[in-house]
Amino acid sequence: MGCATAAPAKAPEPAKAYDFNGDGNRDYTNYRDQKGVIVTYGTKSGPGTETFAFDQDSPGIPGKNKYDEDSFGASMASADFNGDGYADLAASDAGESADGHYERGMVVIVWGSKSGLGSKASTIDPTSSDSGQFFGIGLAAGDFNGDGKPDLAVTDDRAVHVHRGGFTPSGTTGKVSTATPPKGSEFGPISLVAGNVTKDRNTDLYALGYKWADGRYTSGIWFLKGGSTIKPGKLTMADKPTRSYDLDEAVLADFDKDGYGDLAYNDTRYKKYAGSVRVLRGGANGPTSSYRLTQDTPGVATAATAGDFFGGSISAGDTNRDGYPDLAIGTGEELGDLDGAGGAHVLHGGKKGLTGTGSKWFTRDTKGIPGKAKEYEGFGAHVRLDDFDRDGDADLLLSGAPVKDKPSGTLLNGGRSGITTATLREVPFTATYYRQ
């Protein structure tokens, strides 16, 4: 008489990024300036009330806290790195000093579980033991070689390193693929943006950073094509001199729905800080042509004036269910005599990409939004588009300066008509959470 053979255990479904407890709801991570990370767990209607805060003094988290120097959590990325059905969080401290090496940098993966993030964590080793490497200054997750396993891209100020999946809680990873900037470019990568640019199955990367030449900094954007090895591509330099950290907001989305991802990035120094957003179109081999958006773009409310900081914060999502991603753009706009009162635009995507046609403009004085505009409140200076209520369209979260040091935001729903004030609520949560 034969005996039955037990069926092999079914592997868990990989969790989506930022679902740390595997409940199907997106969770939210914010960097607390030199105080580590705070996680707000999500519900079916968006951010909930359950939070969890940790830093390098917390049990199980590697590294040492030095509030005057370190910046643990200043860069973060999420994926289910070990495939156990719970998303994990990669967080870095590029200023970490260890083993006698000053500002070598450190990357930590905090592992998800049924109860969310906790005290189980592993480190990703720097590629060298050099001082001043700033390993982890930028992070991004994606499937860069198309094998179905999430990888982790890490930049220091000299190269981009892709650590291949799979990852294990013991700290092991697949092989590391390193790409260095074009010879003679003197380009230093600072931040990373991941997404599909070239229409294949591999995640691609943009590295944003700076170049020092002729006694000044110039911003730059470097394309890296995904594949079995990362292929360094075109390096695009900015039009005008700038400071090294000015390109601090960028998103990848297919705004014209041609199958190629477009990079939108801010240029807040444009015309005496009136600000602008540049869009770099994607193509089969990477970036192609570009265009600029300002408050002087036809159809965009208000006008470009010095000090508006148009583009200080940007976020992409489909707000009106037409299949084209839209772009929310935060400003530090002056309203009447109120300096820095703030406001936010929503520009819609279409066959021609992002335009001002039908764009929307929200401030504290917009009908339906509670409160009145206040000087230096910066309402809408921070923006995030996300499908908070999971109904198929992106909603808009707006926030500015904290009220009595308490985080707060205004959440406006999307729909067939796009973002409106018909349904909104005030939430104890800011739009500065990590979106990538």
Side-chain angles (χ1 to χ4, degrees):
M1 181 176 177
C3 58
T5 302
K10 185 179 179 180
E13 288 291 324
K16 292 184 178 180
Y18 293 99
D19 181 8
F20 303 122
N21 55 9
D23 66 356
N25 300 314
R26 190 206 196 280
D27 305 317
Y28 307 85
T29 58
N30 288 79
Y31 168 59
R32 304 179 300 158
D33 188 20
Q34 296 186 338
K35 296 180 182 179
V37 178
I38 184 166
V39 181
T40 302
Y41 288 100
T43 69
K44 291 182 179 180
S45 59
T49 57
E50 182 185 357
T51 62
F52 172 65
F54 64 95
D55 58 24
Q56 288 174 298
D57 282 340
S58 300
I61 306 299
K64 294 181 179 180
N65 258 351
K66 296 178 181 178
Y67 293 123
D68 58 338
E69 298 176 6
D70 287 6
S71 54
F72 178 69
S75 187
M76 292 185 266
S78 176
D80 185 358
F81 290 113
N82 60 350
D84 65 352
Y86 304 103
D88 313 301
L89 181 69
S92 68
D93 181 357
E96 180 79 12
S97 299
D99 302 325
H101 301 287
Y102 182 66
E103 293 181 334
R104 184 181 68 177
M106 169 181 280
V107 176
V108 174
I109 294 181
V110 185
W111 302 101
S113 68
K114 188 175 181 179
S115 58
L117 297 181
S119 59
K120 293 183 178 179
S122 307
T123 58
I124 302 297
D125 292 331
T127 53
S128 77
S129 59
D130 294 349
S131 295
Q133 185 180 358
F134 297 103
F135 182 75
I137 197 168
L139 301 175
D143 185 6
F144 300 108
N145 61 355
D147 66 354
K149 299 177 182 178
D151 311 311
L152 180 64
V154 183
T155 186
D156 49 39
D157 66 354
R158 63 196 72 173
V160 174
H161 317 276
V162 176
H163 295 253
R164 305 292 187 182
F167 295 78
T168 70
S170 65
T172 61
T173 72
K175 70 175 185 178
V176 181
S177 177
T178 295
T180 55
K183 189 175 181 180
S185 68
E186 299 183 25
F187 175 75
I190 297 294
S191 61
L192 297 172
V193 184
N196 194 299
V197 177
T198 59
K199 206 188 284 191
D200 59 20
R201 67 178 184 177
N202 307 314
T203 305
D204 303 306
L205 272 171
Y206 276 104
L208 283 68
Y210 67 95
K211 172 182 176 179
W212 177 257
D214 300 324
R216 63 189 185 184
Y217 285 114
T218 300
S219 295
I221 298 168
W222 180 32
F223 175 69
L224 300 103
K225 191 177 189 302
S228 56
T229 59
I230 290 291
K231 299 178 181 178
K234 186 177 180 181
L235 175 61
T236 304
M237 303 313 295
D239 295 335
K240 295 181 179 181
T242 186
R243 294 181 300 184
S244 59
Y245 293 92
D246 272 0
L247 299 181
D248 54 3
E249 287 279 330
V251 294
L252 258 171
D254 187 5
F255 297 113
D256 54 9
K257 215 166 64 171
D258 65 353
Y260 301 106
D262 310 311
L263 179 75
Y265 61 94
N266 67 348
D267 181 5
T268 54
R269 287 172 63 94
Y270 182 71
K271 290 192 175 180
K272 298 181 179 180
Y273 294 96
S276 72
V277 173
R278 292 292 297 267
V279 180
L280 191 56
R281 295 183 179 93
N285 297 308
T288 58
S289 59
S290 67
Y291 57 96
R292 187 189 296 274
L293 301 163
T294 74
Q295 290 181 111
D296 287 336
T297 297
V300 176
T302 74
T305 54
D308 282 349
F309 290 94
F310 177 84
S313 175
I314 59 176
S315 185
D318 182 3
T319 65
N320 55 4
R321 306 184 192 181
D322 65 354
Y324 291 94
D326 309 312
L327 189 72
I329 302 172
T331 77
E333 182 82 12
E334 177 184 6
L335 298 178
D337 296 329
L338 302 176
D339 289 341
H345 300 269
V346 177
L347 276 61
H348 296 112
K351 291 182 179 180
K352 295 181 179 180
L354 293 168
T355 69
T357 302
S359 70
K360 299 192 174 185
W361 168 238
F362 300 97
T363 74
R364 274 288 183 208
D365 288 343
T366 299
K367 185 178 179 180
I369 292 182
K372 292 184 178 181
K374 299 177 182 178
E375 195 165 45
Y376 302 121
E377 180 187 10
F379 175 79
H382 299 294
V383 296
R384 283 294 181 270
L385 288 175
D386 236 329
D387 187 4
F388 291 100
D389 53 11
R390 295 162 59 181
D391 65 352
D393 53 62
D395 311 303
L396 176 63
L397 180 63
L398 304 172
S399 62
V403 179
K404 296 181 179 180
D405 294 325
K406 292 184 179 180
S408 64
T410 302
L411 182 58
L412 286 66
N413 280 14
R416 296 289 182 188
S417 300
I419 301 296
T420 70
T421 60
T423 305
L424 59 79
R425 61 190 173 106
E426 297 290 298
V427 294
F429 189 72
T430 69
T432 56
Y433 69 88
Y434 267 72
R435 179 69 176 86
Q436 203 180 77

